[in-house]
Amino acid sequence: MIARSRRCYIYVACTLLLTMVVYALFHSGINQVGTGEQALSLAELSGALLGHEEEFDLEAVSKFQREQVDAYCRNSNDTGAWPLDRLMIWNKENKTAFCYVPKGGCISLLLMFMTKKGYMPMSVLKKKGYDWPAIEGAISRTNFEAKDQSLKREVIDSYYKFIMYRNPLDRLVSAYKDKTFNDVEYSWIKTSILSLKRRKDGASNSSEVNFLDFVEYFLSRPVMLLGDVHFLPIQRLCHPCYVRYDYYGNFDSFERDVHILMDRFGASDKYLRPSYYSNASTTHYEDYYKLLSEDQRRSIFNYYKEELEFYYLLFPKERGIHKSILNISDDNIRMN
């Protein structure tokens, strides 16, 4: 009992002492504890004591990403081929541009940008579905297609440019779910898959398409599918070895990164639907890949290997996530 009381007194005393130290530092105007490279800000000290994650440093992250990409692209001869001109959206007022990445939170960013700039009415945000004619019209007024080449050069050379990147394995599943079942314009995908199934096993009455069926079709390398912007690797969409982007957001941290970009736009939450955040899931799609054979999983890995290497350069904390998603261990992927 005495030992327990003594521990309580020590705990209270330490707590009071810590409080007095922080209070004294705060009110004396001292912003750092220590000197030189080991100096800690009060915010960092509090974070260390309370176990909080260090505050996100946009400048440091951007610098790291640019250095990684510069090294990666050192011997590249990328000339910014299609479809970059269609996907690069720019804002002349605040000299900002972003690459429109399908299945990478692109509609969220696009509507925020277009509505803020007056290219689309606010009523678009109140609709349950998307007003595609309005969206397409707005895109055509703010991308590079049929624009003066000097403007294109100005944007590439001097504007603040960003991409919202996404793990390619998750992006593939998202595209499958959306384009196979929800988009009338892409009904040809399901029709083609069913046709392949019937030729393979004679299931003439089958109307069900699962991820295994989709991957079998995908791995047959149909030109129309692999050349579509929803299934092309992001490197081939946005050409990071041709356009030197200032920041690469991550779909898995969409809420944080979209607010960083809203600061660039001068926009606010009123330009975003609440569902934008909830739709940016951080859940990976391991269960879908469990339907596949090991050979199929490795074929998917080989197709996206270069894209995964680039993704890991940008986001080192994600390194190796493909191993858990695809359930493979031995590979020769470059991790640095």
Side-chain angles (χ1 to χ4, degrees):
M1 183 71 178
I2 295 174
R4 182 182 301 174
S5 299
R6 184 173 299 165
R7 285 198 300 270
C8 289
Y9 286 132
I10 293 173
Y11 175 80
V12 171
C14 289
T15 302
L16 288 173
L17 179 60
L18 178 61
T19 302
M20 292 170 64
V21 170
V22 174
Y23 181 88
L25 288 170
F26 179 80
H27 283 276
S28 62
I30 298 176
N31 290 319
Q32 294 192 333
V33 180
T35 59
E37 294 182 352
Q38 296 182 344
L40 291 175
S41 69
L42 286 177
E44 291 170 331
L45 175 62
S46 300
L49 291 172
L50 300 175
H52 292 165
E53 185 178 348
E54 188 176 336
E55 185 177 353
F56 181 75
D57 188 336
L58 176 62
E59 184 177 346
V61 171
S62 298
K63 181 175 183 292
F64 169 81
Q65 290 178 335
R66 286 195 299 270
E67 290 173 349
Q68 293 287 88
V69 175
D70 286 348
Y72 179 89
C73 296
R74 188 163 292 135
N75 298 316
S76 171
N77 58 358
D78 191 345
T79 58
W82 183 93
L84 180 66
D85 280 4
R86 168 163 172 71
L87 299 177
M88 202 70 183
I89 310 296
W90 51 273
N91 177 338
K92 190 172 184 178
E93 181 179 305
N94 58 18
K95 295 190 178 300
T96 302
F98 72 95
C99 186
Y100 175 95
V101 177
K103 309 313 301 176
C106 61
I107 296 298
S108 311
L109 293 171
L110 187 66
L111 288 183
M112 173 186 73
F113 176 80
M114 297 299 184
T115 309
K116 166 63 179 175
K117 293 304 300 172
Y119 293 119
M120 287 192 296
M122 283 292 292
S123 59
V124 170
L125 297 180
K126 299 177 182 178
K127 293 185 177 182
K128 188 174 183 180
Y130 294 125
D131 186 341
W132 284 111
I135 292 173
E136 291 289 340
I139 290 174
S140 69
R141 290 193 293 275
T142 57
N143 66 12
F144 283 155
E145 286 187 319
K147 301 297 191 304
D148 188 290
Q149 288 301 303
S150 63
L151 171 62
K152 178 178 178 180
R153 193 71 259 166
E154 179 188 352
V155 172
I156 290 175
D157 289 344
S158 62
Y159 279 35
Y160 182 92
K161 301 168 292 294
F162 65 87
I163 307 176
M164 188 67 73
Y165 231 84
R166 189 175 188 181
N167 177 332
L169 301 176
D170 290 343
R171 183 169 171 257
L172 177 64
V173 177
S174 178
Y176 149 74
K177 292 171 63 180
D178 183 31
K179 299 305 168 186
T180 305
F181 303 108
N182 300 326
D183 195 327
V184 175
E185 289 188 19
Y186 282 79
S187 59
W188 57 268
I189 294 180
K190 185 173 182 179
T191 300
S192 300
I193 293 172
L194 291 174
S195 177
L196 180 66
K197 286 182 66 175
R198 288 167 188 146
R199 291 197 303 271
K200 177 183 175 184
D201 55 26
S204 58
N205 296 322
S206 174
S207 60
E208 298 297 321
V209 173
N210 60 24
F211 189 59
L212 173 59
D213 300 325
F214 170 80
V215 167
E216 288 181 343
Y217 176 61
F218 182 86
L219 294 178
S220 72
R221 305 187 73 81
V223 174
M224 192 171 178
L225 183 72
L226 296 186
D228 184 84
V229 294
H230 296 86
F231 300 96
L232 276 172
I234 296 175
Q235 287 186 79
R236 292 177 60 188
L237 296 176
C238 299
H239 298 272
C241 290
Y242 176 71
V243 179
R244 194 171 189 261
Y245 293 95
D246 296 278
Y247 180 62
Y248 294 80
N250 192 338
F251 189 79
D252 284 356
S253 55
F254 186 83
E255 183 171 356
R256 180 199 69 197
D257 288 340
V258 82
H259 276 91
I260 291 172
L261 302 175
M262 282 195 295
D263 287 343
R264 297 293 311 187
F265 287 142
S268 69
D269 280 337
K270 73 178 181 178
Y271 298 107
L272 293 173
R273 292 174 176 171
S275 60
Y276 289 167
Y277 296 148
S278 61
N279 287 342
S281 171
T282 57
T283 302
H284 299 298
Y285 290 112
E286 290 95 334
D287 288 345
Y288 284 85
Y289 289 98
K290 287 177 182 177
L291 297 171
L292 310 183
S293 68
E294 182 176 353
D295 286 345
Q296 289 170 326
R297 295 196 305 273
R298 288 196 175 277
S299 294
I300 292 292
F301 164 74
N302 289 331
Y303 181 79
Y304 283 116
K305 179 184 174 184
E306 186 177 348
E307 181 84 340
L308 282 164
E309 289 177 341
F310 192 77
Y311 180 73
Y312 293 150
L313 285 178
L314 299 172
F315 311 108
K317 290 183 179 180
E318 300 292 329
R319 287 176 181 170
I321 190 66
H322 69 281
K323 294 184 178 182
S324 61
I325 296 176
L326 296 175
N327 192 25
I328 60 175
S329 53
D330 56 316
D331 60 57
N332 59 345
I333 196 166
R334 184 175 63 181
M335 291 288 197
N336 51 42

